[in-house]
Amino acid sequence: MNLSIAASLLLSLLREAAALQQAIAAAQAEGRDSLSNDEVSGIADRAQKSLDESRAAIAELPQG
Amino acid sequence: MNKIGMLDSQVIRAALLALVGLAGLIASFFGVDEALFSEKAARLVDALLLVLTTGSVIWAAYARATKPTPPITDGAVAKTAELQKSQEGGFARTGALSAVLLMALSACALVGFPQPKTFNDRLAAGYATVTAVSEATQTWIAAKRSEAQRLPVASQAAFLVQVRKDAENIIAQAQRAKDGLDIARDLQGIDLKSAEARLASTIVLLETLQAYLEDR
């Protein structure tokens, strides 16, 4: 299926929102009112890893 | 798709009828019916005009929802053809996906899923958005590479160079947002007010980036 960038973004946002909601629900089930600093660090590391992967994909494209 | 005559459109006919009703009501506002009829008859005329106008609007909405809607101008013919072309091959429509997302979010709220409210939760939501933007960019690059293969060989390189520029710009902005979130996280233990301000400005940046991507 050929998705536009907007559709792809919406799907990615939905996936990320679902994962975040699950993490928040798990924290609340443990009696915490918020995600811990370590959990936030894990999510931040994943964002950086994805950015690095994007740079690798960009590097495969021809330069002007 | 071929166009049809303006007056063959049920929506246009209903709109014209509503316009007649409205013209009558405007005339009534200036006292035309009271000059012609008794007060009781004038009220009856007003009521009939209101029924005519309301009925026409309902008819227009019903016709638009349930009847075929062939174009009635050359401009609409071109736009209809463009729309049909974009829907070929299973393209997911942004509007439909937005509706799905909205329904999913509403469903989350209905089943009692927690919403990000605390600083850490909102920070995590910001990072998750950076990840989503980055993943969407990767998908977009892959789609553009496939698209390039269908172009004449001579124009493929120039096309991909433009894709690279766009992608570099998007990822630079996403990295800027991620760095902003990092700063907000570092500030959290020192100055919560500044951390909140930094988080808020970074979320605005992410929203701008999302809007930019949605326009691509």
Side-chain angles (χ1 to χ4, degrees), chain B residues 90-194:
Chain B
F91 274 54
R93 305 301 301 158
T94 309
L97 280 164
S98 300
V100 170
L101 181 66
L102 201 63
M103 280 190 289
L105 291 175
S106 305
C108 288
L110 277 176
V111 297
F113 272 20
Q115 301 296 310
K117 284 177 188 155
T118 66
F119 182 84
N120 261 5
D121 291 355
R122 284 186 290 127
L123 201 54
Y127 284 126
T129 306
V130 170
T131 306
V133 167
S134 176
E135 286 178 357
T137 306
Q138 289 170 38
T139 308
W140 182 67
I141 290 171
K144 289 291 173 187
R145 286 173 73 109
S146 301
E147 196 179 326
Q149 286 174 351
R150 293 194 295 273
L151 295 174
V153 177
S155 55
Q156 284 182 6
F159 178 79
L160 288 175
V161 164
Q162 191 54 50
V163 170
R164 180 179 181 132
K165 280 182 188 166
D166 273 355
E168 279 175 342
N169 182 34
I170 293 164
I171 293 304
Q173 294 296 316
Q175 184 67 63
R176 210 178 122 213
K178 200 261 174 188
D179 294 344
L181 293 168
D182 288 345
I183 292 169
R185 187 153 57 112
D186 291 342
L187 280 171
Q188 185 187 4
I190 305 163
D191 180 357
L192 189 57
K193 202 174 170 185
S194 300

Side-chain angles (χ1 to χ4, degrees), chain A residues 9-64:
Chain A
L9 177 64
L10 282 171
L11 288 174
S12 296
L13 282 171
L14 190 56
R15 194 169 52 235
E16 289 299 320
L20 187 64
Q21 295 287 9
Q22 277 184 345
I24 295 172
Q28 290 186 345
E30 289 172 14
R32 290 182 281 129
D33 64 348
S34 174
L35 293 173
S36 68
N37 287 342
D38 283 348
E39 285 168 329
V40 175
S41 289
I43 295 168
D45 289 346
R46 205 155 60 81
Q48 188 57 57
K49 191 179 165 211
S50 180
L51 288 171
D52 293 341
E53 286 168 358
S54 291
R55 282 201 190 86
I58 291 169
E60 291 173 11
L61 296 169
Q63 274 182 307

